[in-house]
């Protein structure tokens, strides 16, 4: 079964690319950046290494997998369906039934088993949009970086979906959207306009608050304090440190550890609706994006040797400066969002 009318929508981040393809096929054209912003996707999260004292923590610039899709669909009034099958056979049967019913299906996969991926690492929090499947082939849409629309052996997809290795695995998970609300398809602009500031408010509340050492600005400062000593604490810093930089730049982030994608959301909101109150935040987030790119450049240029600690101390200082800047931006957005809602500031 292959959806005859399906038109692949390209994107830079796996989950928002998948969500965009599901919603576009259902009848609404919404940009990836807008979905990321409405989904309150930006964050900084610190996940400890699986073995204390060994390995590198997972440092990611977005909220947990699937939560972004839930948030965006809630904002848009779209019913998002999620299900996990108990085994590969029933997982395959479930998505085949949804394809027969005309749905694009989002599936979580481990990239290790995807034939077109060059990475040989296990990462199980990746999403792709499935729009065709038979006994031998699967037709999917991945990010632009991974070539967009791809065809791979159905057996490879089965293994990728069944994997329980890597970061936050969810074997046999699939997502799809039900029929969209009529107003979303006939007056998409109005729906988006009504939801933008509420999504900004919810994001700003979360990002400007203290959620402990694993989330948000505080987690960023924790990462900065630990990165400064990585040349001494990591087993293979010459390999691991540049790897963190590449992860922040290329691993489905859209650049600058998701900061570019969030700036694109703010910029689109400003341009589409002429909302000048967003001007300073678009500018400030552009500066944050540049600072993230500079920090990533420092990490990818790391060569260790005698000045390894000095190099990492410079990265740590930049991350602390970014934390200051993001704290100020989200506090400012929270004030503006409250003013727009008519609440006391």
């Amino acid at each position: 079964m292959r959806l005859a009318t399906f038109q692949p929508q390209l994107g830079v981040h796996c989950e928002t690319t998948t969500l965009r393809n599901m919603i576009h096929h259902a009848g609404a054209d919404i940009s990836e950046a807008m979905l990321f912003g409405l989904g309150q996707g930006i964050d900084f999260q610190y996940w400890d290494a699986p073995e204390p004292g060994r390995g590198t923590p997972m440092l990611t610039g977005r909220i947990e997998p699937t939560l972004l899709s839930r948030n965006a669909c809630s904002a848009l009034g779209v019913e998002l369906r999620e299900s996990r099958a108990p085994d590969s056979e029933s997982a395959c049967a479930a998505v085949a039934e949804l394809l027969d019913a005309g749905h694009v299906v989002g599936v979580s996969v481990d990239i290790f088993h995807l034939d077109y991926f060059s990475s040989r690492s296990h990462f199980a929090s990746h999403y792709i949009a499935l729009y065709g499947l038979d006994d031998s082939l699967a037709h999917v849409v991945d990010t632009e970086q991974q070539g967009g629309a791809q065809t791979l052996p159905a057996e490879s997809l089965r293994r990728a979906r069944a994997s329980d290795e890597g970061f936050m695995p969810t074997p046999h998970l699939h997502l799809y959207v039900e029929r969209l609300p009529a107003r979303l398809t006939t007056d998409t602009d109005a729906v988006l306009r009504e939801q933008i500031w509420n999504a900004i408010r919810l994001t700003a509340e979360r990002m400007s608050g203290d959620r402990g050492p694993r989330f948000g600005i505080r987690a960023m400062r924790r990462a900065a304090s630990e990165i400064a000593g990585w040349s001494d604490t990591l087993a293979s810093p010459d390999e691991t440190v540049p790897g963190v930089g590449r992860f922040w730049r290329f691993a489905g982030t859209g650049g600058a550890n998701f900061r570019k994608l969030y700036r694109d959301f703010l910029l689109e909101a400003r341009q589409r609706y002429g909302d000048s109150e967003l001007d300073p935040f678009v500018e400030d987030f552009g500066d944050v994006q540049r600072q993230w790119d500079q920090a990533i450049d420092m990490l990818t240029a790391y060569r260790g040797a005698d000045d390894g600690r000095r190099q990492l101390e410079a990265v740590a200082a930049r991350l602390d400066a970014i934390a200051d800047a993001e704290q100020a931006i989200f506090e400012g957005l929270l004030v503006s969002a409250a003013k727009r809602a008519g609440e006391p500031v």
Side-chain angles (χ1 to χ4, degrees), residues 38-40 70-78 191 195 198-199:
L38 293 181
Q40 308 161 45
R70 293 177 193 143
N71 289 343
C73 287
S74 177
L76 295 169
V78 173
V191 176
Q195 293 300 322
N198 186 53

Side-chain angles (χ1 to χ4, degrees), residues 70-110:
R70 293 177 193 143
N71 289 343
C73 287
S74 177
L76 295 169
V78 173
E79 188 169 357
L80 178 72
R81 300 285 188 143
E82 306 174 42
S83 182
R84 285 184 64 178
D87 53 56
S88 291
E89 183 177 352
S90 53
C92 183
V95 297
E97 183 176 339
L98 289 169
L99 289 167
D100 283 338
H103 296 286
V104 174
V105 186
V107 293
S108 66
V109 292
D110 179 354

Side-chain angles (χ1 to χ4, degrees), residues 90-298:
S90 53
C92 183
V95 297
E97 183 176 339
L98 289 169
L99 289 167
D100 283 338
H103 296 286
V104 174
V105 186
V107 293
S108 66
V109 292
D110 179 354
I111 65 173
F112 180 84
H113 299 286
L114 300 178
D115 293 43
Y116 55 85
F117 247 89
S118 58
S119 173
R120 291 295 84 200
S121 301
H122 285 283
F123 182 80
S125 296
H126 190 68
Y127 287 79
I128 52 179
L130 178 67
Y131 68 96
L133 182 66
D134 59 32
D135 290 340
S136 59
L137 295 176
H139 304 279
V140 304
V141 180
D142 209 315
T143 61
E144 289 184 57
Q145 182 178 307
Q146 300 304 326
Q150 294 278 6
T151 300
L152 72 158
E155 176 60 22
S156 298
L157 179 65
R158 186 196 67 77
R159 291 196 304 270
R161 294 192 63 202
S163 175
D164 61 359
E165 299 184 69
F167 181 65
M168 285 189 174
T170 49
H172 305 131
L173 172 70
H174 70 258
L175 317 169
Y176 70 99
V177 298
E178 291 283 11
R179 185 186 303 274
L180 304 186
R183 185 165 176 255
L184 183 60
T185 60
T186 59
D187 199 0
T188 305
D189 259 358
V191 176
L192 298 182
R193 188 183 300 112
E194 291 165 5
Q195 293 300 322
I196 284 171
W197 273 103
N198 186 53
I200 289 173
R201 177 183 62 81
L202 292 169
T203 301
E205 285 178 348
R206 176 168 45 79
M207 289 298 292
S208 59
D210 185 348
R211 294 176 287 142
R214 284 180 48 200
F215 302 101
I217 305 299
R218 186 172 165 190
M220 200 181 300
R221 298 195 192 282
R222 175 187 176 189
S225 68
E226 295 190 6
I227 283 173
W230 272 2
S231 57
D232 300 321
T233 59
L234 293 181
S236 305
D238 288 1
E239 177 183 345
T240 303
V241 171
V244 171
R246 290 190 296 271
F247 182 81
W248 284 351
R249 176 162 286 160
F250 299 119
T253 70
N257 201 16
F258 293 98
R259 272 54 189 171
K260 182 180 184 301
L261 201 50
Y262 197 75
R263 178 185 179 271
D264 289 346
F265 159 66
L266 295 176
L267 181 60
E268 181 178 343
R270 167 65 177 101
Q271 291 175 338
R272 287 179 72 134
Y273 307 117
D275 194 338
S276 60
E277 187 149 358
L278 286 169
D279 282 343
F281 301 112
V282 171
E283 182 176 347
D284 290 346
F285 231 91
D287 184 58
V288 163
Q289 176 190 326
R290 287 186 289 274
Q291 289 193 63
W292 271 101
D293 279 331
Q294 290 163 1
I296 290 167
D297 286 342
M298 293 178 193

Side-chain angles (χ1 to χ4, degrees), residues 33-56:
M34 184 60 67
L35 290 171
F36 186 80
L38 293 181
Q40 308 161 45
I42 195 168
D43 202 355
F44 187 87
Q45 298 196 353
Y46 186 113
W47 297 91
D48 292 302
E51 300 179 51
R54 297 183 61 187
T56 312

